[in-house]
Amino acid sequence: QKEVEQDPGPLSVPEGAIVSLNCTYSNSAFQYFMWYRQYSRKGPELLMYTYSSGNKEDGRFTAQVDKSSKYISLFIRDSQPSDSATYLCAILNSGGYQKVTFGTGTKLQVIP
Amino acid sequence: NAGVTQTPKFQVLKTGQSMTLQCAQDMNHNSMYWYRQDPGMGLRLIYYSASEGTTDKGEVPNGYNVSRLNKREFSLRLESAAPSQTSVYFCASSGLGSYSTDTQYFGPGTRLTVL
């Protein structure tokens, strides 16, 4: 079993839709949860991170963590064509070095 | 402030050839990383350097070597390239190293094809 599981998609939605992206993880020692966005042929860039259960908002983006279910989500409100990218969840295990385990990514396309 | 830069952007090698991928960061970060990204496999850590003068193996180190030349630069060497090393390689850096939640900043990647 992979430490982090993520549906690869692709996910195609109309402009303005609410998008839900999800990951599950297996190691309860994981403490910090991140979402990266990766445009085609570019490096990943950090969107949001959180370390507690509950919701964290940043503009149109909301990150949600449920540690009891080992489930993390990213919601995008009023999705825009510029949101078309691959979204990777990433989890940091705070032990030793900064070991980050990445999901495989979900490819999102927002259609105008 | 360029962030993390990588050279070259693209490279085609023949099996058995060697090459070095270069990475530099101008953010005064302590930690640097090399990842490879393959379809369906996500990002996998090859090697990392928690601080200048130290390097350690990640998840998939076989066939690679690294050098932390100074605080700014971290290179990845393929001694004898194999088709299985065809991938996109990303360098990343982060601020404080161990026990840190600092963001990892990624470079633009090197697309490597081994024939």
Side-chain angles (χ1 to χ4, degrees):
Chain A
Q1 181 189 9
K2 289 183 179 177
E3 286 190 303
V4 180
E5 299 271 6
Q6 185 174 10
D7 188 333
L11 183 60
S12 185
V13 302
E15 183 175 354
I18 296 174
V19 176
S20 172
L21 304 165
N22 309 295
C23 286
T24 58
Y25 62 95
S26 58
N27 188 342
S28 57
F30 288 152
Q31 297 189 25
Y32 302 94
F33 307 91
M34 296 163 281
W35 285 95
Y36 281 79
R37 177 176 61 195
Q38 185 176 18
Y39 291 114
S40 181
R41 296 183 175 266
K42 302 287 186 185
E45 57 178 341
L46 183 71
L47 262 183
M48 299 181 69
Y49 93 84
T50 182
Y51 58 88
S52 59
S53 284
N55 294 349
K56 181 178 181 180
E57 281 193 29
D58 184 0
R60 296 185 295 109
F61 298 89
T62 300
Q64 187 177 80
V65 176
D66 182 356
K67 288 188 177 180
S68 62
S69 302
K70 301 190 185 73
Y71 195 85
I72 63 173
S73 301
L74 178 71
F75 298 98
I76 307 174
R77 290 186 300 279
D78 187 24
S79 56
Q80 303 295 310
S82 59
D83 295 328
S84 297
T86 296
Y87 290 81
L88 300 100
C89 62
I91 303 177
L92 173 65
N93 185 358
S94 63
Y97 66 96
Q98 193 190 28
K99 183 182 185 299
V100 178
T101 302
F102 288 87
T104 52
T106 299
K107 188 170 184 179
L108 171 67
Q109 183 180 20
V110 181
I111 302 169
Chain B
N1 190 338
V4 179
T5 56
Q6 293 182 236
T7 55
K9 287 187 168 55
F10 303 94
Q11 185 70 50
V12 178
L13 292 178
K14 294 181 179 178
T15 297
Q17 288 185 318
S18 62
M19 79 162 294
T20 299
L21 282 64
Q22 306 286 355
C23 174
Q25 51 91 9
D26 61 3
M27 295 174 283
N28 201 33
H29 283 169
N30 287 328
S31 298
M32 298 186 73
Y33 312 82
W34 276 105
Y35 291 91
R36 59 179 290 175
Q37 187 175 38
D38 303 288
M41 302 294 290
L43 281 159
R44 293 181 292 170
L45 184 66
I46 304 171
Y47 270 93
Y48 68 99
S49 171
S51 61
E52 188 179 354
T54 68
T55 61
D56 282 286
K57 295 178 181 179
E59 183 183 354
V60 287
N62 290 345
Y64 306 95
N65 283 300
V66 291
S67 296
R68 183 75 183 266
L69 304 169
N70 47 55
K71 191 171 186 179
R72 288 188 64 246
E73 298 172 289
F74 189 38
S75 63
L76 178 72
R77 183 160 178 84
L78 286 70
E79 291 291 351
S80 179
S84 61
Q85 294 178 305
T86 294
S87 187
V88 182
Y89 291 85
F90 289 101
C91 177
S93 70
S94 65
L96 300 178
S98 297
Y99 302 102
S100 167
T101 59
D102 268 9
T103 304
Q104 288 191 19
Y105 293 86
F106 285 80
T110 295
R111 292 182 172 271
L112 175 66
T113 301
V114 182
L115 302 175

